[in-house]
């Protein structure tokens, strides 16, 4: 599976809000280019060429390269937050909700690893205002996981001395999947999700 196919197919729902079609094609091309070359090494000409368009056509839909990255980051982080909110607010024990949150979050990072790499690792390429908006979304993601862990501690399901530090460790484990996951490797996204969910439950001392 090429990165273009993965991005378009694996994240169809995430990019469905991007219209018109030309704007969506440019965004997908930008994801592919940023993941392959890095934000700073990618030019607007690179992005337009991957989308089969002229550089001038890009500026009809996006004023700058940073605007493209900002939109990719905002859509990706919003989707990540929705995944964690769904798991956090479902019925069930803290153990069940934490396992669901981790497995779902990991599957998203593995199944759309090209997009996830850009979303999670190009934050410092954004300007101050855009960066702060994305950081606010990240804090909301952290808060959803932290709330589950706090519930588990309160109910006696989890044995955690440092909730904030443990939340950071859980989020880091999930996010790092985007860096190393290989579609041709030995695990599927579902398998990695189940593995990391088990590791996290052990980490919090789930009973």
């Amino acid at each position: 599976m090429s990165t273009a196919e993965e991005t378009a197919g694996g994240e169809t729902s995430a990019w469905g809000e991007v219209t018109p079609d030309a704007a969506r094609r440019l965004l997908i091309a930008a994801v592919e280019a940023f993941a392959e070359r890095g934000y700073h090494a990618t030019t607007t000409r690179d992005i337009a060429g991957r989308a089969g368009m002229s550089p001038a056509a890009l500026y009809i839909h996006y004023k700058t390269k940073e605007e493209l990255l900002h939109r990719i980051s905002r859509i990706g982080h919003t989707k990540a937050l929705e995944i964690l909110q769904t798991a956090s607010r479902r019925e069930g024990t803290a153990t069940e909700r934490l396992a669901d949150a981790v497995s779902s979050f990991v599957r998203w990072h593995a199944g759309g690893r090209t997009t996830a790499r850009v979303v999670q690792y190009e934050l410092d390429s954004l300007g101050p205002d855009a960066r702060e908006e994305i950081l606010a979304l990240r804090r909301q993601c952290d808060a959803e996981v932290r709330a589950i862990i706090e519930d588990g501690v309160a109910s006696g399901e989890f044995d955690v001395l440092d909730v904030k530090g443990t939340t950071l460790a859980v989020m880091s484990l999930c996010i790092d999947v985007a860096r190393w996951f290989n579609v041709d490797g030995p695990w599927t996204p579902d398998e990695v999700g189940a593995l990391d969910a088990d590791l996290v439950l052990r980490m919090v001392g789930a009973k």
Side-chain angles (χ1 to χ4, degrees), residues 100-124:
D100 188 15
V102 170
S103 61
S104 299
F105 201 39
V106 166
R107 285 198 305 271
W108 183 76
H109 282 84
R113 67 200 182 286
T114 304
T115 299
R117 278 202 300 272
V118 175
V119 167
Q120 298 292 4
Y121 294 113
E122 288 288 359
L123 177 64
D124 289 339

Side-chain angles (χ1 to χ4, degrees), residues 23 47 51-52 58-60 66 97 108 116 135 159 174 185-186 204-205:
I47 296 167
L58 185 147
Y59 295 109
I60 295 173
E66 186 191 341
R97 288 184 287 127
W108 183 76
L135 283 173
D159 182 12
C174 295
V204 298

Side-chain angles (χ1 to χ4, degrees), residues 2-110:
S2 71
T3 51
E5 288 169 338
E6 172 207 324
T7 304
E11 297 295 330
T12 300
S13 60
W15 307 134
E17 67 186 71
V18 181
T19 58
D21 179 68
R24 186 184 307 109
R25 283 165 50 202
L26 285 164
L27 186 142
I28 291 170
V31 170
E32 189 176 76
F34 294 157
E36 181 180 314
R37 305 188 61 186
Y39 174 80
H40 292 293
T42 298
T43 66
T44 53
R45 184 175 294 275
D46 293 332
I47 296 167
R50 287 173 184 264
M53 301 166 68
S54 69
L58 185 147
Y59 295 109
I60 295 173
H61 303 284
Y62 302 99
K63 294 178 183 178
T64 63
K65 184 176 70 168
E66 186 191 341
E67 183 180 333
L68 261 169
L69 178 61
H70 183 203
R71 190 160 194 196
I72 292 164
S73 297
R74 185 173 62 243
I75 292 173
H77 278 87
T78 299
K79 177 61 177 176
L81 179 58
E82 289 172 355
I83 289 169
L84 293 172
Q85 286 176 333
T86 297
S88 175
R89 300 172 188 184
R90 57 162 279 194
E91 293 185 3
T93 65
T95 299
E96 292 168 340
R97 288 184 287 127
L98 185 58
D100 188 15
V102 170
S103 61
S104 299
F105 201 39
V106 166
R107 285 198 305 271
W108 183 76
H109 282 84

Side-chain angles (χ1 to χ4, degrees), residues 142-205:
D142 291 349
E144 293 296 332
V145 175
R146 186 170 63 250
I148 302 175
I149 296 174
E150 288 172 343
D151 286 348
V153 172
S155 68
E157 294 174 63
F158 301 158
D159 182 12
V160 175
L161 295 177
D162 183 346
V163 172
K164 184 177 180 180
T166 301
T167 300
L168 176 61
V170 171
M171 296 299 284
S172 298
L173 178 67
C174 295
I175 290 170
D176 198 50
V177 169
R179 182 185 59 78
W180 62 260
F181 184 80
N182 184 346
V183 69
D184 297 319
W187 297 303
T188 66
D190 284 345
E191 289 169 339
V192 177
L195 172 64
D196 281 3
D198 179 68
L199 290 173
V200 166
L201 292 182
R202 293 171 185 272
M203 185 190 303
V204 298

